[in-house]
Every structure is written in C-alpha cells, then in structure tokens.
Amino acid sequence: AVLLFSLFFAHILSNRFVEPIRRLAENLDSVQFPEGDLIYKEFTPFAREIKRERDNTAREMSRLKFERNRFRTLIEDMSEGMILLDSKNEVVLVNGVAREMFRVDGDFTGRNIRCFSRNIPLNNAVESAAKGKKADAEIQVSGKDVRLIASPVFVGGEVSGVIVILLDVTEKKNLSDLREKFTANASHELKTPLTSIAGDAEMIETGMAKPEDVPEFARKIHKESARLLALTNDIMKLSELDESNPDSLSLEKVNLGEMLKEIASMLEPLAAKRHVSVSLPSEDFFVMGDKGKLFEMLYNLVVNAIRYNKDSGSVTVSFEGNSVVVKDTGVGIAEEHLPHIFERFYRADKSRSEETGGTGLGLAIVKHIAELHKAKVSVSSVFGEG
C-alpha cells in the first residue's frame, strides 16, 4: 500500500514539477520577463537566453529571406541565362532566360541537370566544372548560338556547386560574319576600279596607248576614279552609321516635302540626261529626325529610281499615311532578288549597276538610316514594270 501510494504521489509531484517547464517550452513566444507565470525564478535567465537566441534567429531568417528574394530578383532580371547547381549536379535555381533558351517550363529544383536538358555539350561542361575545372563552349540551342561558361564553386577547398552562365551570341556572331563579308566585298569592289585605273595609266605612261586613244583612256580613268570616290564615300557613310544609335541622332522637325524639292533640283541634270520626269507631292510632311541622314536616305531612293529607269520613264514620290512612297517605271526587280536588295554590295543587275555608277551600298544605307529612326523600309516590284 505504501509503495502504491508513493508511486501515485511521486507521479503527481513530478507532473507539478515538470508543468512549468512544459509551459515554458510551449509558450516561449509569449514569455514575459521578468514577470510571467513561471514558477521557478531559476528558469528566468535560461528562458531569457532562449528568447534572445530565438529573436536573433528570427532576424537572421528574415535577412536571409530578404537576401534570397533579392538574389532571385537579380537572377531573373539578368539578360544572360543562369543555372545554379549543387554538388550533386542537382538544380538549385534556373532563371527565365535559361528556360526560354532551352524552351522548358516547370520546377526543376532538386532534379538532376539532365532533367532540365539533355544537351550533350551542356552536360559535359557541367561534369567538367563539378570536377573543379572551368569549362567554356559554344552550343546551338533552339536555332541560337549560345556561349556556355560553367564554373565550379569552391567552399573550403571543395567543389560545392556549379554556376552555368549562358550568353546569346547570335547577333554578335552575325555581326562578325557581316563584317568579314563586308570587308571581303569592299576589298573586291575597291580593287576593281583601282586595277582599271592602274592599267590605263600604265598604258599611257609606257607610250603603249596611241595619241588618239589617250582621251579615251583618260575618260575611263576619270570614270573609274569617280566610281572609286563614290564607293569610298558610301563605305565611310556605312561605317559612321554602324557606330550610330537612335540616341546619337540630332533630332529636329524636318519637312520632307521641302527636302524632296531640294533633292529633285540636285538630280535634275541626271533626270534630264535620262529623259525621266520626276513628280513630287505638293503637301508638307513633317517628321522628327536627323535632317542630314534623312536627306541621304531620300536622295538614295530618288537617285536609284532615276538611274534604274527606262528612257522617257517617270518617278513619282507621294506621302501615303505615315509613309513616303517612291515609284518608278523602271526595269523592275525579279522576285528572287527582292529579299536581298538591302544587303551590302548586293546588285540585282550588276552590269547595269556598274553602267549607271551604282556602288551596291545605296539601299543598305537607306535601310540603316530607316532603322536608326525606328522606321521600316520595304519594296514591291514586278520585273520589267518598275
């Protein structure tokens, strides 16, 4: 009986003894110091320490959450693609640019990189970086040229993860190819008149040309020199345009109606020589733009319409809506050439272009100036009709 009574009484005493500790554990968030419903004042320093640590932890968690959200925002706002992996090559974070590049959607967190993409160069670069060696490669993704940089992340001398940066270099590569093509074409175009000038001059210098033929050789030298000068000027204009951007334009209010009258006056001798009539709009048409560059653009359009026209043909310039339309009754352009006529040095009819003094750069200049003004240029033509 004494044993049973002792066990019962011990149970009650232990519950009463443990109750304050249990209440303290369950209500740490509401514990007030120094007052409170704590029975044992000896617990007060202990509870205060727990509360202080809890508050510090809460502040640290709040800071980490803020930093994580800021990091995610920065990653999402990057213009480059980014993939963050842990030490097991499992995805920690993928930004929107990377998803768009690989055309994938969904949550890949905690899944192996191969679940995100089975692109072999990407996986090889990740494997190399996971072994502590930085990898750099160019890959093709969804028709784009992408430069891939996979770098290991070291913590305490050990690889704890991998950062993959994806750079879209399609435009840069296209520009590089365009520059190489332009350089090759420019060299060829410059070499042709220079060779002709050098040959004719040598004929005169060595006395191989008959006296009565000298004027003809001089005429050819003059013609080729003029062509060379025009080509050099157009190349310089294109180089200047390549370095320009919309922010660099000297914008002002320009009356294209008055500008076209000035252009027609300058081209009147050429039009008379080819018996081409030029019809201009009578109304004014104001735009905000760079006056010098707009003049160059309209001049090239009108001079082309005169040069590639038929004898006794006509050129009509009109304003239709927010567009300037230049029509001619010239030789026209075959359908297969239409997509290419704004390319540099492209000529639909090379023999006729050389005959009329064209450089093959006029329409490329027109397109460049239009794009600088955030405008578009287009062409429609029927071969033989203009």
Side-chain angles (χ1 to χ4, degrees):
V2 171
L3 178 61
L4 291 174
F5 177 77
S6 299
L7 288 174
F8 176 73
F9 193 67
H11 177 70
I12 293 175
L13 286 177
S14 64
N15 282 342
R16 291 186 63 186
F17 179 79
V18 171
E19 181 63 19
I21 301 175
R22 184 181 61 77
R23 285 203 305 271
L24 178 63
E26 291 177 352
N27 300 283
L28 276 176
D29 291 340
S30 61
V31 173
Q32 303 293 322
F33 300 105
E35 290 81 21
D37 60 352
L38 294 174
I39 294 178
Y40 306 119
K41 64 179 181 179
E42 292 84 1
F43 285 169
T44 301
F46 175 67
R48 281 191 184 136
E49 187 65 25
I50 292 176
K51 186 173 184 296
R52 186 170 67 250
E53 289 299 325
R54 182 208 61 199
D55 292 342
N56 290 339
T57 302
R59 283 194 295 269
E60 188 66 18
M61 288 297 292
S62 179
R63 187 186 67 81
L64 289 174
K65 186 177 180 180
F66 173 77
E67 292 291 339
R68 182 192 65 185
N69 292 337
R70 185 171 67 169
F71 177 71
R72 286 183 177 274
T73 302
L74 290 173
I75 294 302
E76 286 298 327
D77 288 343
M78 287 175 61
S79 58
E80 299 83 13
M82 180 176 178
I83 305 172
L84 183 61
L85 308 172
D86 62 16
S87 58
K88 298 178 181 178
N89 290 346
E90 292 179 352
V91 176
V92 176
L93 184 65
V94 180
N95 71 353
V97 178
R99 293 174 187 274
E100 186 178 345
M101 281 184 178
F102 287 90
R103 295 182 179 177
V104 295
D105 199 7
D107 185 11
F108 293 91
T109 305
R111 300 169 67 183
N112 191 276
I113 183 63
R114 286 184 173 81
C115 297
F116 175 77
S117 173
R118 293 186 179 276
N119 186 285
I120 295 175
L122 169 64
N123 291 321
N124 289 343
V126 168
E127 291 292 339
S128 178
K131 295 176 182 177
K133 186 177 180 181
K134 183 178 179 180
D136 193 333
E138 280 201 10
I139 63 176
Q140 282 278 336
V141 180
S142 303
K144 295 181 179 180
D145 296 301
V146 176
R147 185 184 174 193
L148 182 154
I149 304 172
S151 303
V153 178
F154 292 97
V155 176
E158 297 290 332
V159 177
S160 64
V162 175
I163 293 180
V164 180
I165 302 294
L166 303 162
L167 308 171
D168 187 349
V169 295
T170 306
E171 185 176 351
K172 184 179 179 181
K173 195 169 182 180
N174 289 341
L175 286 174
S176 178
D177 293 341
L178 185 63
R179 288 194 190 96
E180 290 179 9
K181 186 178 178 181
F182 177 72
T183 303
N185 287 334
S187 301
H188 174 73
E189 294 290 339
L190 290 170
K191 184 179 179 181
T192 302
L194 284 172
T195 303
S196 179
I197 291 170
D200 291 342
E202 186 179 2
M203 293 281 284
I204 296 173
E205 182 185 21
T206 57
M208 295 178 66
K210 297 177 182 180
E212 60 270 22
D213 293 333
V214 170
E216 178 62 20
F217 279 111
R219 186 191 68 79
K220 288 181 179 178
I221 290 175
H222 181 264
K223 180 183 177 182
E224 293 297 336
S225 298
R227 182 186 167 200
L228 186 62
L229 182 60
L231 188 60
T232 304
N233 285 336
D234 283 350
I235 290 174
M236 290 176 66
K237 288 172 188 173
L238 269 176
S239 297
E240 180 188 346
L241 290 171
D242 282 337
E243 295 175 1
S244 301
N245 58 69
D247 296 330
S248 67
L249 297 177
S250 301
L251 298 179
E252 59 181 299
K253 193 175 182 180
V254 181
N255 187 349
L256 298 187
E258 290 298 321
M259 184 177 285
L260 284 167
K261 291 176 184 176
E262 184 181 350
I263 291 170
S265 177
M266 292 177 61
L267 294 174
E268 190 174 348
L270 176 63
K273 181 181 177 181
R274 298 190 59 82
H275 309 290
V276 173
S277 63
V278 179
S279 174
L280 301 177
S282 58
E283 68 269 25
D284 292 331
F285 185 50
F286 292 95
V287 298
M288 290 298 295
D290 188 302
K291 188 173 182 179
K293 288 181 172 59
L294 289 176
F295 185 93
E296 182 74 25
M297 179 177 69
L298 292 179
Y299 181 91
N300 282 344
L301 287 173
V302 177
V303 77
N304 264 21
I306 296 173
R307 279 177 177 168
Y308 298 98
N309 216 314
K310 298 174 182 176
D311 288 336
S312 302
S314 65
V315 174
T316 304
V317 185
S318 60
F319 301 137
E320 298 179 9
N322 65 341
S323 301
V324 181
V325 181
V326 181
K327 297 180 181 179
D328 65 63
T329 58
V331 295
I333 304 167
E335 187 177 351
E336 65 268 19
H337 295 298
L338 288 177
H340 306 288
I341 66 168
F342 294 104
E343 296 175 5
R344 304 179 184 196
F345 294 111
Y346 189 87
R347 297 185 179 94
D349 187 343
K350 189 170 183 179
S351 60
R352 187 176 179 86
S353 180
E354 292 177 355
E355 178 189 337
T356 57
T359 62
L361 293 174
L363 290 180
I365 292 173
V366 167
K367 182 181 179 182
H368 217 316
I369 294 174
E371 289 177 345
L372 277 176
H373 287 79
K374 298 180 180 178
K376 293 181 181 179
V377 59
S378 62
V379 59
S380 59
S381 179
V382 177
F383 186 68
E385 296 183 12

